[in-house]
Amino acid sequence: MGKKRIVIIGAGNNGKCVADAAEKAGNFEIIGFLDTKKQPGESYFSYPILGNQSEIIRIVDQFNLEGGVVSLGDNFLRYQIVKEIIKHSPNFNFLSIIHPMSVISKGVKVGKGCIIMPGVIINANTKVSNFCLLNTSSVLEHDSEIKDFSTLSPGVITGGHFSLGSFSTMGLGSKALDRVSIGENSFIGAGALVTKNIEDNVLAYGVPAKVIRKREFGEKTLP
C-alpha cells in the first residue's frame, strides 16, 4: 500500500514536530504546508507553502491529497482552523499522526486529527477523542479519556481512570492522580499536581493544584 499524500496545516514550531513525526511514521508523503502568515512558494522545514486553509478544495484537487492534519498547539486555534476547513470542504479527511516511538496499548481508541509525539505512552482501554495533542513523553494511564481539542504538554503524567475535558490543557510536567477529572476549557499550570477534580473554565496550578481564576472560552492556551 502506498503512502498517503497529506498536507500539514500550520507552519509553526509545532508544525515541524508534526512533520518529523509523519516522516518517521513512514506511511505519509508530506506534500507541503498551509499557513496564513506565509506566502505560497516559500519553504518551511524543507517543504513548500501551498497556500492557506481557505483554498483547501483547490489544493486537495491540485495535489491529489488524501488528507491532512492541523498542527496548531493552541486548542482554540486548532478548533477554529478545523471549523474553517470543514466550512470549505465538509468531507476533508483529517488524519492522525502517531510517532513510531510512542506506545499505544491494547484497547486504546484514537480519534481523527490527533497528534501523538515521541515517547508518549497511552495505556490500556483509554480513549483519545478527536483533534487531541499528546506532546513528547506524556503518559496517559489506563481507562482514561481526553476529550476533543484537549492537550497533554510534554512530560505530563496522569493516573488511571483520568478524564480531561474538551479544550483543556495539562501544562508542562504537570501530574494528576488516579480518578481525577478536569472540566472543559481549563488549564493546569506547569509542574502542578492535581489531587482532586477541577471544574470547567478555570486556571489552576501549584502543589496541590488550586484554582486561581476563571478562564474565558477562546483564551490563549498559555496564560
Side-chain angles (χ1 to χ4, degrees), residues 179-201:
R179 302 181 185 277
V180 163
S181 295
I182 296 169
E184 295 185 359
N185 188 45
S186 287
F187 188 98
I188 307 302
L193 174 62
V194 182
T195 61
K196 60 183 181 181
N197 293 348
I198 299 291
E199 61 198 272
D200 297 343
N201 303 308

Side-chain angles (χ1 to χ4, degrees), residues 145 147-150 163-169 182-185:
E145 179 178 9
K147 299 181 181 179
D148 294 348
F149 297 99
S150 60
S163 176
L164 183 65
S166 299
F167 296 95
S168 289
T169 296
I182 296 169
E184 295 185 359
N185 188 45

Side-chain angles (χ1 to χ4, degrees), residues 7-195:
V7 66
I8 297 173
I9 301 100
N13 289 329
N14 206 56
K16 67 181 73 170
C17 297
V18 173
D20 180 72
E23 290 172 355
K24 288 184 169 61
N27 55 339
F28 300 107
E29 180 184 356
I30 302 169
I31 305 304
F33 281 89
L34 303 186
D35 198 277
T36 56
K37 296 181 179 179
K38 292 180 171 61
Q39 295 300 313
E42 287 185 41
S43 179
Y44 184 77
F45 203 59
S46 78
Y47 294 103
I49 303 295
L50 305 177
N52 63 63
Q53 61 272 10
S54 68
E55 306 171 273
I56 192 69
I57 293 178
R58 174 188 67 79
I59 290 168
V60 167
D61 290 342
Q62 180 178 346
F63 296 97
N64 193 27
L65 299 177
E66 295 173 78
V69 60
V70 178
S71 67
L72 299 174
D74 183 279
N75 296 332
F76 185 70
L77 292 179
R78 192 157 70 249
Y79 164 73
Q80 287 182 310
I81 297 301
V82 167
K83 188 167 67 169
E84 183 178 358
I85 289 172
I86 291 172
K87 180 180 74 174
H88 293 293
S89 180
N91 296 319
F92 184 77
N93 187 19
F94 292 99
L95 299 168
S96 288
I97 306 294
I98 301 176
H99 195 286
M101 290 182 65
S102 60
V103 177
I104 312 296
S105 298
K106 184 177 180 179
V108 170
K109 296 179 181 178
V110 176
K112 64 183 178 182
C114 293
I115 300 164
I116 299 175
M117 293 296 194
V120 169
I121 298 174
I122 307 175
N123 253 323
N125 293 338
T126 287
K127 181 180 178 181
V128 177
S129 299
N130 300 319
F131 305 106
C132 296
L133 171 58
L134 285 78
N135 275 299
T136 308
S137 298
S138 54
V139 176
L140 184 60
E141 268 298 347
H142 62 89
D143 300 290
S144 295
E145 179 178 9
I146 62 173
K147 299 181 181 179
D148 294 348
F149 297 99
S150 60
T151 294
L152 301 184
S153 299
V156 166
I157 299 175
T158 80
H161 298 275
F162 167 78
S163 176
L164 183 65
S166 299
F167 296 95
S168 289
T169 296
M170 293 282 291
L172 189 72
S174 59
K175 298 177 175 63
L177 299 185
D178 286 3
R179 302 181 185 277
V180 163
S181 295
I182 296 169
E184 295 185 359
N185 188 45
S186 287
F187 188 98
I188 307 302
L193 174 62
V194 182
T195 61

